[in-house]
């Protein structure tokens, strides 16, 4: 891990999906840079594990693990209420990393798999962004940054992922629209589009399919969650103060 330089000193960050994979790595990197981190996840045990790791990193910052189902409006509302109750302020950094796959071929895709993926990946990003932005405005946070984890698949499409690809293309369009609305409030909104990253999400992909993908990646390997997290850090910090409405690919050059 890179050496800390305090890029997020004094900031409060909320990371959904912080219990695993990319979200967990984002929590580590943001905490390393001095942020207090709220780890929010459907899996409360996993969220607590991430928080314990942050606590064990040392430093004086207090971190918090909270359960949330990002696809349910009232769960998201209580998350924001709990954060403001605990820290007396809205987060100034929000990372929407919670996401799921329910892969199948179009002709076998059932309605539940379509709905589940849309509800978590797209509606969840909407619900958290809306609730967090309202709280940022209420609390007059001077500069904020929202980062949505989309996917390179939203651009390329993928066999077996019509639901997922559509949800992630939606997250890109959502990000661009929201960035235009929120700029006047000094809230930036960007997306990161990872390629294939070594996390539990990819474990279910059949080996033969993984090999097909690796052959298409110029770097010849999958990415690490930390390699995505460092780009999220750039977007979270004031180093990107004039960047909004962008979708940055972190894909090892996987062609779009
Ligand atoms: N690209 C190319 N070929 C694929 C493919 C893909 N994504 N997915 C499946 N195929 C091919 C298989 O290689 C296989 O080819 P052969 O007949 O030549 O052997 C054929 O389709 C049938 O595949 P299965 O035998 O696996 O069919 P199944 O009905 O048992 O399962 C499936 C279908 C659920 C779609 C399964 O193949 C699968 O999980 N595929 C992978 C889908 C995928 O790429 N998911 C990415 C998850 S990671 C992620 O989403 C994060 C991100 O943003 C990148
Ligand atoms: P992961 O499966 O390791 O982590 C996802 C986390 O989201 C889990 O902790 C899970 O409990 C949580 N989650 C799921 N549903 C939730 C809900 N309704 N409410 C709250 N939390 C919920 O997956 P990974 O790989 O870390 O994915 C993170 C994000 O990155 C996802 O949005 C994914 O689509 C995206 N992504 C992942 C890529 C990869 O190759 N791993 C590539 C491109 C994008």
């Amino acid at each position: 891990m890179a050496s800390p330089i305090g890029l997020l000193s004094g900031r409060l960050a909320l990371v959904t999906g912080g219990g695993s994979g990319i979200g967990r790595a984002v929590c580590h990197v943001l905490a390393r840079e001095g942020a207090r981190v709220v780890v929010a996840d459907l899996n409360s045990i996993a969220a607590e594990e991430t928080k314990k790791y942050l606590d064990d990193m040392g430093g004086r910052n207090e971190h918090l693990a909270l359960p949330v189902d990002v696809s349910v409006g009232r769960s998201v509302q209580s998350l924001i209420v709990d954060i403001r109750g605990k820290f007396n302020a809205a987060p100034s950094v929000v990372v929407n990393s919670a996401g799921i796959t329910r892969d199948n071929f179009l002709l076998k895709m059932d309605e539940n798999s379509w709905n589940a993926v849309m509800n978590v990946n797209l509606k969840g990003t909407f619900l958290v962004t809306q609730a967090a932005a309202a709280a940022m405005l209420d609390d007059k946070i001077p500069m904020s940054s929202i980062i949505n984890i989309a996917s390179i698949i939203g651009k390329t499409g993928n066999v077996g992922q019509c639901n997922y690809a559509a949800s992630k293309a939606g997250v890109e369009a959502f990000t661009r629209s929201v960035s235009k609305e929120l700029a006047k409030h000094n809230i930036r909104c960007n997306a990161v589009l990872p390629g294939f990253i070594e996390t539990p999400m990819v474990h279910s992909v059949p080996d033969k399919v993984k090999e097909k993908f690796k052959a298409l990646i110029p770097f010849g390997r999958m990415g690490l969650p930390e390699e995505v997290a460092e780009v999220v850090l750039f977007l979270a910090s004031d180093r990107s103060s004039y960047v909004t409405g962008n979708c940055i690919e972190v894909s090892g050059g996987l062609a779009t």
Side-chain angles (χ1 to χ4, degrees):
M1 210 185 241
S3 303
I5 51 172
L7 280 174
L8 297 178
S9 286
R11 306 286 293 272
L12 176 62
L14 163 64
V15 182
T16 73
S20 178
I22 293 171
R24 178 171 278 183
V26 168
C27 291
H28 295 173
V29 168
L30 301 191
R32 180 197 78 202
E33 291 303 324
R36 291 165 294 163
V37 178
V38 179
V39 187
D41 205 292
L42 188 62
N43 182 340
S44 48
I45 295 168
E48 286 292 348
E49 281 170 5
T50 303
K51 178 198 174 296
K52 182 173 182 322
Y53 183 93
L54 303 186
D55 292 341
D56 292 347
M57 283 166 72
R60 281 163 298 163
N61 279 340
E62 196 178 354
H63 307 291
L64 181 65
L66 287 172
V68 69
D69 182 342
V70 297
S71 66
V72 176
R74 52 177 195 286
S75 176
V76 171
Q77 290 296 339
S78 343
L79 171 73
I80 300 296
V81 166
D82 289 350
I83 294 170
R84 290 168 96 187
K86 172 79 180 171
F87 294 101
N88 285 319
S92 65
V93 173
V94 172
V95 182
N96 284 304
S97 189
I100 59 168
T101 54
R102 294 286 183 273
D103 295 349
N104 217 335
F105 299 121
L106 168 69
L107 298 181
K108 293 187 190 165
M109 177 75 62
D110 60 49
E111 202 174 332
N112 287 342
S113 301
W114 177 270
N115 287 341
V117 166
M118 286 296 164
N119 284 342
V120 177
N121 298 4
L122 185 52
K123 182 183 167 195
T125 299
F126 153 66
L127 288 172
V128 173
T129 301
Q130 185 188 52
M136 288 165 182
L137 292 184
D138 273 1
D139 290 348
K140 301 188 172 40
I141 305 287
M143 293 279 275
S144 304
S145 178
I146 298 169
I147 299 111
N148 299 325
I149 310 297
S151 168
I152 200 76
I153 299 298
K155 283 193 147 178
T156 59
N158 190 19
V159 171
Q161 290 203 293
C162 63
N163 52 353
Y164 181 86
S167 75
K168 294 299 188 178
V171 169
E172 273 192 66
F174 174 78
T175 301
R176 291 196 187 93
S177 302
V178 161
S179 72
K180 291 180 195 296
E181 288 188 30
L182 296 181
K184 63 172 180 264
H185 302 296
N186 279 328
I187 302 174
R188 297 184 293 113
C189 185
N190 293 286
V192 173
L193 279 53
F196 282 81
I197 310 297
E198 301 268 11
T199 73
M201 180 174 273
V202 171
H203 292 165
S204 61
V205 177
D207 285 343
K208 61 184 171 187
V209 177
K210 270 191 216 155
E211 290 313 313
K212 280 184 193 173
F213 280 117
K214 277 193 199 157
L216 297 173
I217 303 171
F219 272 144
R221 65 168 176 88
M222 292 209 275
L224 301 174
E226 293 72 22
E227 292 176 304
V228 179
E230 294 292 347
V231 178
V232 171
L233 168 64
F234 166 70
L235 291 171
S237 78
D238 293 344
R239 291 269 167 99
S240 59
S241 54
Y242 201 54
V243 180
T244 197
N246 267 262
C247 300
I248 302 182
E249 298 176 16
V250 186
S251 64
L254 185 65
T256 52

